[in-house]
Each structure stands twice: as C-alpha cells, then as structure tokens.
Amino acid sequence: AQDDLARRAASIQQQLGYAEKDLAEATKTLETLEREAATLEEEKKRTAAQTEKHAAEYAKVASEVSGKETKLRAELDDVFGDFSRRVGVANIAEFEEKHFSQVQQVAAQRSKLTKQVAALQTQIEYERKRGLAKKMEDQR
C-alpha cells in the first residue's frame, strides 16, 4: 500500500512538474502576446492620427479642386456664352454632352450598318456560288 502511495505521489509530483513547465511557458507566451498587443495598439494610434491628417488634407484639396472646377465652368460659360446661345444650349458643358451623345449614337449606327453590309455581302457571295454550282450541274 505504501509502494502504491509512493508511486501515486511520484506520478502526481511528475504531473505537477509538467504543469509548472506548462504554466511557465504559458506565462512567457502571455507576456510576449501582451507586448505585441501593446505595440499594435501604439501603431494603431499612430496610424489613426495619420489617417485623420490625410483625410483632412484630402478634404482640403477636394474643396480646392471643387472651387477651381466651379470657377473654370464659369469662365467657360463666359468664353462660350455667345456660342452656347447660338446653338440653343445653356452652357458649353451641355453642348459637349449633347454632342458626345450624338457622336456615340452615330458610331453605334455606323457599326450596326457595317455589320449589316458585311452580312449582306456574305449572303450575296453565297448565293452567287450556289447559282454557279447549279449552272455547272445543269450543264452536265
């Protein structure tokens, strides 16, 4: 019975040793992860500050660009005012939009007609060859 108790005590002692090693390793890993988390948190704060700064700079530049676009549109309206009135549009941008739309429509129509012509030419060639083949057959 004492041998059995001694073996169980030794086994428990061994398990306790393993548990202590596991605890030490887990503690070491936890400390490493906590340091990494702190580093990442610092990087997150730094990055957030930079992101905020860049967002503010972007908003400022976007505002400047918008103002310059407005000024440019006004100057274009000034320069092309007479032309716009003669062609019946409110401003040059409207004319360009309409003109671009018309150019696209013409291009689409041209493409459609080109395809139709090609199909008709193919059909004509087929019919010619068929008619020629029939004439040759009739002559035999």
Side-chain angles (χ1 to χ4, degrees):
Q2 227 177 357
D3 278 352
D4 188 37
L5 281 176
R7 274 195 308 268
R8 283 176 53 192
S11 174
I12 290 172
Q13 194 71 353
Q14 188 177 21
Q15 288 176 358
L16 179 61
Y18 292 148
E20 287 173 345
K21 286 180 184 178
D22 286 347
L23 177 61
E25 191 63 36
T27 301
K28 187 177 173 183
T29 302
L30 179 61
E31 289 170 355
T32 301
L33 291 174
E34 285 174 343
R35 281 192 305 273
E36 288 178 11
T39 301
L40 290 173
E41 189 62 34
E42 285 299 316
E43 187 175 332
K44 177 183 164 188
K45 287 177 184 176
R46 185 179 44 78
T47 303
Q50 286 178 344
T51 300
E52 225 175 269
K53 178 183 169 190
H54 292 301
E57 289 173 3
Y58 175 80
K60 179 182 175 188
V61 169
S63 175
E64 289 173 6
V65 168
S66 178
K68 289 179 182 182
E69 284 176 341
T70 301
K71 185 177 177 182
L72 177 63
R73 270 188 246 110
E75 288 177 10
L76 284 172
D77 288 347
D78 241 9
V79 170
F80 291 101
D82 290 339
F83 173 78
S84 297
R85 281 187 287 284
R86 277 186 277 143
V87 294
V89 294
N91 55 43
I92 192 67
E94 185 181 321
F95 171 78
E96 287 173 340
E97 188 177 311
K98 283 182 179 180
H99 182 69
F100 180 70
S101 175
Q102 289 171 347
V103 168
Q104 282 183 318
Q105 288 173 354
V106 167
Q109 194 71 341
R110 182 175 289 136
S111 175
K112 182 179 173 184
L113 290 173
T114 301
K115 287 177 185 176
Q116 288 177 345
V117 167
L120 290 172
Q121 287 174 336
T122 302
Q123 185 67 33
I124 290 170
E125 186 64 28
Y126 170 77
E127 294 296 333
R128 281 188 188 145
K129 287 181 181 179
R130 197 171 115 202
L132 184 61
K134 187 172 182 181
K135 282 183 185 177
M136 290 175 65
E137 206 175 284
D138 289 346
Q139 287 180 354
R140 288 183 187 184

Short mmCIF file of all heavy atoms in Angstrom, two decimals, residues 26-79:
data_model
loop_
_atom_site.label_atom_id
_atom_site.label_comp_id
_atom_site.label_asym_id
_atom_site.label_seq_id
_atom_site.Cartn_x
_atom_site.Cartn_y
_atom_site.Cartn_z
N ALA A 26 3.24 29.14 -20.67
CA ALA A 26 2.04 29.94 -20.93
C ALA A 26 2.25 31.37 -20.46
O ALA A 26 1.84 32.33 -21.14
CB ALA A 26 0.83 29.32 -20.25
N THR A 27 2.89 31.55 -19.33
CA THR A 27 3.17 32.89 -18.81
C THR A 27 4.09 33.65 -19.76
O THR A 27 3.87 34.82 -20.07
CB THR A 27 3.81 32.80 -17.40
OG1 THR A 27 2.92 32.10 -16.53
CG2 THR A 27 4.10 34.17 -16.85
N LYS A 28 5.12 32.94 -20.24
CA LYS A 28 6.07 33.55 -21.19
C LYS A 28 5.34 33.95 -22.49
O LYS A 28 5.51 35.06 -23.00
CB LYS A 28 7.18 32.55 -21.49
CG LYS A 28 8.31 33.07 -22.30
CD LYS A 28 9.36 31.98 -22.44
CE LYS A 28 10.46 32.37 -23.39
NZ LYS A 28 11.44 31.29 -23.58
N THR A 29 4.49 33.05 -22.98
CA THR A 29 3.72 33.34 -24.20
C THR A 29 2.77 34.51 -23.98
O THR A 29 2.65 35.39 -24.83
CB THR A 29 2.92 32.09 -24.64
OG1 THR A 29 3.83 31.02 -24.86
CG2 THR A 29 2.12 32.35 -25.90
N LEU A 30 2.13 34.54 -22.82
CA LEU A 30 1.21 35.62 -22.49
C LEU A 30 1.94 36.96 -22.45
O LEU A 30 1.45 37.96 -23.00
CB LEU A 30 0.52 35.35 -21.15
CG LEU A 30 -0.45 36.43 -20.67
CD1 LEU A 30 -1.60 36.59 -21.67
CD2 LEU A 30 -0.98 36.09 -19.29
N GLU A 31 3.11 36.99 -21.86
CA GLU A 31 3.90 38.23 -21.80
C GLU A 31 4.27 38.69 -23.21
O GLU A 31 4.19 39.88 -23.53
CB GLU A 31 5.15 38.01 -20.95
CG GLU A 31 4.86 37.88 -19.46
CD GLU A 31 6.09 37.42 -18.66
OE1 GLU A 31 7.14 37.12 -19.27
OE2 GLU A 31 5.97 37.37 -17.42
N THR A 32 4.68 37.75 -24.06
CA THR A 32 5.03 38.08 -25.44
C THR A 32 3.83 38.66 -26.18
O THR A 32 3.92 39.68 -26.86
CB THR A 32 5.55 36.83 -26.18
OG1 THR A 32 6.70 36.33 -25.49
CG2 THR A 32 5.93 37.15 -27.62
N LEU A 33 2.69 38.01 -26.02
CA LEU A 33 1.47 38.48 -26.69
C LEU A 33 1.03 39.84 -26.16
O LEU A 33 0.56 40.68 -26.94
CB LEU A 33 0.35 37.45 -26.53
CG LEU A 33 0.56 36.13 -27.29
CD1 LEU A 33 -0.55 35.14 -26.94
CD2 LEU A 33 0.62 36.37 -28.79
N GLU A 34 1.19 40.07 -24.88
CA GLU A 34 0.82 41.38 -24.32
C GLU A 34 1.73 42.47 -24.87
O GLU A 34 1.26 43.57 -25.17
CB GLU A 34 0.91 41.33 -22.78
CG GLU A 34 -0.26 40.60 -22.15
CD GLU A 34 -0.11 40.42 -20.64
OE1 GLU A 34 1.01 40.58 -20.11
OE2 GLU A 34 -1.14 40.13 -20.00
N ARG A 35 3.04 42.16 -25.02
CA ARG A 35 3.95 43.16 -25.62
C ARG A 35 3.56 43.44 -27.08
O ARG A 35 3.53 44.59 -27.51
CB ARG A 35 5.41 42.65 -25.56
CG ARG A 35 6.06 42.81 -24.21
CD ARG A 35 7.57 42.58 -24.26
NE ARG A 35 7.95 41.30 -24.83
CZ ARG A 35 8.07 40.15 -24.15
NH1 ARG A 35 7.84 40.14 -22.85
NH2 ARG A 35 8.44 39.04 -24.76
N GLU A 36 3.24 42.38 -27.82
CA GLU A 36 2.82 42.55 -29.21
C GLU A 36 1.53 43.36 -29.29
O GLU A 36 1.39 44.23 -30.16
CB GLU A 36 2.64 41.19 -29.89
CG GLU A 36 3.93 40.47 -30.19
CD GLU A 36 3.71 39.10 -30.81
OE1 GLU A 36 2.57 38.77 -31.21
OE2 GLU A 36 4.70 38.35 -30.90
N ALA A 37 0.60 43.08 -28.39
CA ALA A 37 -0.67 43.82 -28.37
C ALA A 37 -0.43 45.30 -28.08
O ALA A 37 -1.04 46.18 -28.71
CB ALA A 37 -1.62 43.23 -27.34
N ALA A 38 0.48 45.58 -27.15
CA ALA A 38 0.79 46.98 -26.83
C ALA A 38 1.43 47.67 -28.03
O ALA A 38 1.09 48.82 -28.36
CB ALA A 38 1.72 47.04 -25.62
N THR A 39 2.34 46.96 -28.71
CA THR A 39 2.98 47.52 -29.91
C THR A 39 1.94 47.80 -30.99
O THR A 39 1.95 48.87 -31.62
CB THR A 39 4.05 46.54 -30.44
OG1 THR A 39 5.02 46.32 -29.42
CG2 THR A 39 4.72 47.09 -31.69
N LEU A 40 1.04 46.84 -31.19
CA LEU A 40 0.00 47.02 -32.20
C LEU A 40 -0.95 48.17 -31.84
O LEU A 40 -1.39 48.91 -32.72
CB LEU A 40 -0.79 45.72 -32.39
CG LEU A 40 -0.03 44.58 -33.08
CD1 LEU A 40 -0.86 43.30 -33.06
CD2 LEU A 40 0.34 44.96 -34.51
N GLU A 41 -1.23 48.31 -30.58
CA GLU A 41 -2.10 49.41 -30.14
C GLU A 41 -1.45 50.75 -30.41
O GLU A 41 -2.10 51.68 -30.88
CB GLU A 41 -2.43 49.25 -28.65
CG GLU A 41 -3.49 50.19 -28.14
CD GLU A 41 -4.86 49.99 -28.81
OE1 GLU A 41 -5.22 48.86 -29.14
OE2 GLU A 41 -5.55 51.01 -29.00
N GLU A 42 -0.15 50.85 -30.12
CA GLU A 42 0.59 52.08 -30.41
C GLU A 42 0.59 52.37 -31.91
O GLU A 42 0.38 53.51 -32.34
CB GLU A 42 2.03 51.98 -29.89
CG GLU A 42 2.16 52.11 -28.40
CD GLU A 42 1.65 53.44 -27.89
OE1 GLU A 42 1.95 54.50 -28.50
OE2 GLU A 42 0.92 53.44 -26.87
N GLU A 43 0.81 51.34 -32.70
CA GLU A 43 0.82 51.51 -34.16
C GLU A 43 -0.56 51.93 -34.65
O GLU A 43 -0.69 52.77 -35.54
CB GLU A 43 1.24 50.20 -34.84
CG GLU A 43 1.44 50.34 -36.33
CD GLU A 43 1.98 49.06 -36.96
OE1 GLU A 43 2.67 48.30 -36.29
OE2 GLU A 43 1.69 48.88 -38.15
N LYS A 44 -1.59 51.35 -34.04
CA LYS A 44 -2.97 51.71 -34.41
C LYS A 44 -3.23 53.19 -34.13
O LYS A 44 -3.81 53.90 -34.95
CB LYS A 44 -3.95 50.84 -33.63
CG LYS A 44 -5.40 51.16 -33.86
CD LYS A 44 -6.27 50.28 -32.98
CE LYS A 44 -7.67 50.82 -32.89
NZ LYS A 44 -8.47 50.10 -31.90
N LYS A 45 -2.79 53.66 -32.97
CA LYS A 45 -2.98 55.07 -32.61
C LYS A 45 -2.23 55.97 -33.59
O LYS A 45 -2.76 56.99 -34.04
CB LYS A 45 -2.50 55.33 -31.18
CG LYS A 45 -3.41 54.77 -30.11
CD LYS A 45 -2.84 55.00 -28.73
CE LYS A 45 -3.70 54.35 -27.65
NZ LYS A 45 -3.10 54.49 -26.33
N ARG A 46 -0.99 55.60 -33.88
CA ARG A 46 -0.19 56.40 -34.81
C ARG A 46 -0.83 56.42 -36.20
O ARG A 46 -0.95 57.47 -36.82
CB ARG A 46 1.23 55.82 -34.88
CG ARG A 46 2.19 56.63 -35.73
CD ARG A 46 3.60 56.04 -35.75
NE ARG A 46 3.68 54.60 -35.94
CZ ARG A 46 3.52 53.97 -37.11
NH1 ARG A 46 3.26 54.66 -38.19
NH2 ARG A 46 3.62 52.66 -37.19
N THR A 47 -1.27 55.27 -36.64
CA THR A 47 -1.89 55.16 -37.96
C THR A 47 -3.20 55.95 -38.00
O THR A 47 -3.50 56.60 -39.00
CB THR A 47 -2.15 53.68 -38.30
OG1 THR A 47 -0.91 52.98 -38.25
CG2 THR A 47 -2.72 53.53 -39.68
N ALA A 48 -3.97 55.88 -36.93
CA ALA A 48 -5.24 56.61 -36.88
C ALA A 48 -4.99 58.11 -36.98
O ALA A 48 -5.71 58.83 -37.69
CB ALA A 48 -5.99 56.28 -35.59
N ALA A 49 -3.96 58.58 -36.30
CA ALA A 49 -3.63 60.01 -36.36
C ALA A 49 -3.22 60.39 -37.78
O ALA A 49 -3.63 61.43 -38.30
CB ALA A 49 -2.51 60.34 -35.37
N GLN A 50 -2.42 59.55 -38.41
CA GLN A 50 -2.00 59.83 -39.79
C GLN A 50 -3.20 59.80 -40.73
O GLN A 50 -3.32 60.64 -41.63
CB GLN A 50 -0.95 58.82 -40.25
CG GLN A 50 0.41 59.02 -39.65
CD GLN A 50 1.39 57.95 -40.10
OE1 GLN A 50 1.01 56.90 -40.62
NE2 GLN A 50 2.66 58.22 -39.90
N THR A 51 -4.08 58.83 -40.53
CA THR A 51 -5.27 58.71 -41.37
C THR A 51 -6.14 59.96 -41.24
O THR A 51 -6.63 60.50 -42.23
CB THR A 51 -6.07 57.46 -40.99
OG1 THR A 51 -5.25 56.31 -41.16
CG2 THR A 51 -7.32 57.32 -41.83
N GLU A 52 -6.29 60.42 -40.01
CA GLU A 52 -7.07 61.63 -39.77
C GLU A 52 -6.44 62.82 -40.48
O GLU A 52 -7.12 63.63 -41.11
CB GLU A 52 -7.12 61.89 -38.25
CG GLU A 52 -8.48 62.26 -37.74
CD GLU A 52 -8.47 62.37 -36.23
OE1 GLU A 52 -8.74 61.35 -35.58
OE2 GLU A 52 -8.20 63.48 -35.73
N LYS A 53 -5.12 62.93 -40.37
CA LYS A 53 -4.39 64.02 -41.00
C LYS A 53 -4.56 63.97 -42.52
O LYS A 53 -4.86 64.98 -43.16
CB LYS A 53 -2.90 63.92 -40.63
CG LYS A 53 -2.03 64.97 -41.28
CD LYS A 53 -0.57 64.74 -40.91
CE LYS A 53 0.34 65.62 -41.76
NZ LYS A 53 1.75 65.25 -41.59
N HIS A 54 -4.42 62.77 -43.09
CA HIS A 54 -4.56 62.62 -44.54
C HIS A 54 -5.99 62.90 -45.00
O HIS A 54 -6.20 63.50 -46.07
CB HIS A 54 -4.12 61.23 -44.99
CG HIS A 54 -2.65 60.99 -44.85
ND1 HIS A 54 -1.70 61.75 -45.47
CD2 HIS A 54 -1.96 60.07 -44.14
CE1 HIS A 54 -0.50 61.32 -45.16
NE2 HIS A 54 -0.63 60.29 -44.34
N ALA A 55 -6.96 62.49 -44.20
CA ALA A 55 -8.36 62.75 -44.54
C ALA A 55 -8.63 64.25 -44.57
O ALA A 55 -9.32 64.76 -45.46
CB ALA A 55 -9.29 62.05 -43.56
N ALA A 56 -8.07 64.96 -43.61
CA ALA A 56 -8.25 66.41 -43.56
C ALA A 56 -7.57 67.06 -44.77
O ALA A 56 -8.15 67.96 -45.40
CB ALA A 56 -7.67 66.97 -42.26
N GLU A 57 -6.36 66.59 -45.10
CA GLU A 57 -5.66 67.13 -46.27
C GLU A 57 -6.45 66.85 -47.55
O GLU A 57 -6.57 67.71 -48.42
CB GLU A 57 -4.26 66.53 -46.37
CG GLU A 57 -3.29 67.03 -45.32
CD GLU A 57 -1.96 66.28 -45.34
OE1 GLU A 57 -1.76 65.41 -46.21
OE2 GLU A 57 -1.13 66.57 -44.47
N TYR A 58 -6.99 65.64 -47.66
CA TYR A 58 -7.77 65.27 -48.83
C TYR A 58 -9.01 66.15 -48.95
O TYR A 58 -9.33 66.64 -50.05
CB TYR A 58 -8.19 63.79 -48.75
CG TYR A 58 -9.11 63.40 -49.87
CD1 TYR A 58 -8.60 63.11 -51.12
CD2 TYR A 58 -10.49 63.34 -49.68
CE1 TYR A 58 -9.44 62.76 -52.17
CE2 TYR A 58 -11.33 63.00 -50.71
CZ TYR A 58 -10.81 62.71 -51.95
OH TYR A 58 -11.65 62.37 -52.98
N ALA A 59 -9.70 66.36 -47.83
CA ALA A 59 -10.90 67.20 -47.85
C ALA A 59 -10.55 68.62 -48.30
O ALA A 59 -11.29 69.23 -49.08
CB ALA A 59 -11.55 67.22 -46.47
N LYS A 60 -9.41 69.12 -47.83
CA LYS A 60 -8.98 70.47 -48.21
C LYS A 60 -8.70 70.54 -49.71
O LYS A 60 -9.18 71.44 -50.40
CB LYS A 60 -7.73 70.85 -47.42
CG LYS A 60 -7.19 72.23 -47.75
CD LYS A 60 -5.91 72.52 -46.96
CE LYS A 60 -5.31 73.85 -47.39
NZ LYS A 60 -3.99 74.06 -46.81
N VAL A 61 -7.96 69.56 -50.22
CA VAL A 61 -7.62 69.54 -51.65
C VAL A 61 -8.89 69.36 -52.48
O VAL A 61 -9.08 70.02 -53.51
CB VAL A 61 -6.59 68.43 -51.95
CG1 VAL A 61 -6.43 68.22 -53.44
CG2 VAL A 61 -5.24 68.77 -51.31
N ALA A 62 -9.79 68.47 -52.04
CA ALA A 62 -11.04 68.24 -52.77
C ALA A 62 -11.86 69.52 -52.83
O ALA A 62 -12.47 69.84 -53.86
CB ALA A 62 -11.84 67.13 -52.11
N SER A 63 -11.87 70.26 -51.75
CA SER A 63 -12.59 71.53 -51.71
C SER A 63 -11.97 72.53 -52.68
O SER A 63 -12.69 73.23 -53.41
CB SER A 63 -12.57 72.09 -50.29
OG SER A 63 -13.16 73.35 -50.26
N GLU A 64 -10.64 72.58 -52.70
CA GLU A 64 -9.95 73.49 -53.63
C GLU A 64 -10.25 73.11 -55.07
O GLU A 64 -10.52 73.97 -55.92
CB GLU A 64 -8.44 73.45 -53.38
CG GLU A 64 -8.00 74.11 -52.09
CD GLU A 64 -6.51 73.89 -51.79
OE1 GLU A 64 -5.80 73.33 -52.63
OE2 GLU A 64 -6.08 74.31 -50.70
N VAL A 65 -10.20 71.82 -55.36
CA VAL A 65 -10.48 71.34 -56.72
C VAL A 65 -11.91 71.70 -57.11
O VAL A 65 -12.16 72.18 -58.23
CB VAL A 65 -10.23 69.81 -56.83
CG1 VAL A 65 -10.80 69.25 -58.12
CG2 VAL A 65 -8.74 69.51 -56.73
N SER A 66 -12.83 71.47 -56.21
CA SER A 66 -14.23 71.79 -56.49
C SER A 66 -14.41 73.29 -56.79
O SER A 66 -15.11 73.66 -57.73
CB SER A 66 -15.10 71.39 -55.29
OG SER A 66 -16.43 71.72 -55.53
N GLY A 67 -13.75 74.11 -55.99
CA GLY A 67 -13.81 75.56 -56.22
C GLY A 67 -13.23 75.94 -57.57
O GLY A 67 -13.79 76.77 -58.29
N LYS A 68 -12.10 75.32 -57.92
CA LYS A 68 -11.48 75.62 -59.21
C LYS A 68 -12.33 75.12 -60.36
O LYS A 68 -12.42 75.78 -61.41
CB LYS A 68 -10.08 75.01 -59.26
CG LYS A 68 -9.11 75.76 -58.36
CD LYS A 68 -7.72 75.17 -58.38
CE LYS A 68 -6.83 75.96 -57.41
NZ LYS A 68 -5.47 75.50 -57.39
N GLU A 69 -12.99 73.96 -60.18
CA GLU A 69 -13.88 73.45 -61.23
C GLU A 69 -15.05 74.41 -61.44
O GLU A 69 -15.44 74.69 -62.57
CB GLU A 69 -14.41 72.06 -60.86
CG GLU A 69 -13.40 70.96 -61.04
CD GLU A 69 -13.92 69.61 -60.59
OE1 GLU A 69 -14.90 69.55 -59.81
OE2 GLU A 69 -13.32 68.60 -60.99
N THR A 70 -15.60 74.92 -60.35
CA THR A 70 -16.71 75.87 -60.43
C THR A 70 -16.25 77.14 -61.16
O THR A 70 -16.95 77.64 -62.05
CB THR A 70 -17.23 76.22 -59.02
OG1 THR A 70 -17.65 75.01 -58.39
CG2 THR A 70 -18.36 77.21 -59.07
N LYS A 71 -15.08 77.62 -60.79
CA LYS A 71 -14.54 78.82 -61.43
C LYS A 71 -14.29 78.56 -62.91
O LYS A 71 -14.63 79.39 -63.77
CB LYS A 71 -13.23 79.23 -60.74
CG LYS A 71 -12.65 80.53 -61.24
CD LYS A 71 -11.40 80.90 -60.46
CE LYS A 71 -10.79 82.18 -61.05
NZ LYS A 71 -9.56 82.55 -60.37
N LEU A 72 -13.74 77.39 -63.24
CA LEU A 72 -13.46 77.04 -64.64
C LEU A 72 -14.76 76.97 -65.44
O LEU A 72 -14.84 77.49 -66.55
CB LEU A 72 -12.72 75.71 -64.71
CG LEU A 72 -12.44 75.17 -66.11
CD1 LEU A 72 -11.52 76.14 -66.87
CD2 LEU A 72 -11.83 73.79 -66.05
N ARG A 73 -15.79 76.34 -64.85
CA ARG A 73 -17.08 76.27 -65.55
C ARG A 73 -17.64 77.66 -65.81
O ARG A 73 -18.16 77.95 -66.90
CB ARG A 73 -18.08 75.45 -64.72
CG ARG A 73 -18.04 73.98 -65.06
CD ARG A 73 -19.15 73.20 -64.39
NE ARG A 73 -18.52 72.30 -63.44
CZ ARG A 73 -18.57 72.39 -62.13
NH1 ARG A 73 -19.26 73.35 -61.56
NH2 ARG A 73 -17.96 71.54 -61.36
N ALA A 74 -17.50 78.54 -64.84
CA ALA A 74 -17.99 79.91 -65.01
C ALA A 74 -17.22 80.62 -66.11
O ALA A 74 -17.81 81.33 -66.95
CB ALA A 74 -17.88 80.68 -63.69
N GLU A 75 -15.90 80.44 -66.13
CA GLU A 75 -15.09 81.07 -67.17
C GLU A 75 -15.41 80.50 -68.54
O GLU A 75 -15.48 81.24 -69.54
CB GLU A 75 -13.60 80.91 -66.84
CG GLU A 75 -13.15 81.78 -65.67
CD GLU A 75 -11.70 81.58 -65.30
OE1 GLU A 75 -10.96 80.90 -66.05
OE2 GLU A 75 -11.30 82.10 -64.24
N LEU A 76 -15.63 79.19 -68.62
CA LEU A 76 -16.01 78.57 -69.89
C LEU A 76 -17.36 79.10 -70.37
O LEU A 76 -17.55 79.37 -71.56
CB LEU A 76 -16.07 77.04 -69.76
CG LEU A 76 -14.73 76.32 -69.73
CD1 LEU A 76 -14.92 74.84 -69.40
CD2 LEU A 76 -14.00 76.48 -71.05
N ASP A 77 -18.28 79.25 -69.43
CA ASP A 77 -19.60 79.81 -69.78
C ASP A 77 -19.44 81.22 -70.31
O ASP A 77 -20.13 81.62 -71.25
CB ASP A 77 -20.54 79.79 -68.57
CG ASP A 77 -21.01 78.39 -68.21
OD1 ASP A 77 -20.81 77.47 -69.04
OD2 ASP A 77 -21.57 78.21 -67.11
N ASP A 78 -18.53 81.97 -69.73
CA ASP A 78 -18.25 83.34 -70.18
C ASP A 78 -17.69 83.33 -71.60
O ASP A 78 -18.16 84.04 -72.48
CB ASP A 78 -17.21 83.98 -69.24
CG ASP A 78 -17.73 85.21 -68.56
OD1 ASP A 78 -18.95 85.46 -68.66
OD2 ASP A 78 -16.91 85.90 -67.92
N VAL A 79 -16.67 82.50 -71.80
CA VAL A 79 -15.99 82.46 -73.09
C VAL A 79 -16.91 81.93 -74.19
O VAL A 79 -16.94 82.46 -75.30
CB VAL A 79 -14.71 81.59 -73.00
CG1 VAL A 79 -14.12 81.33 -74.37
CG2 VAL A 79 -13.68 82.25 -72.08
#
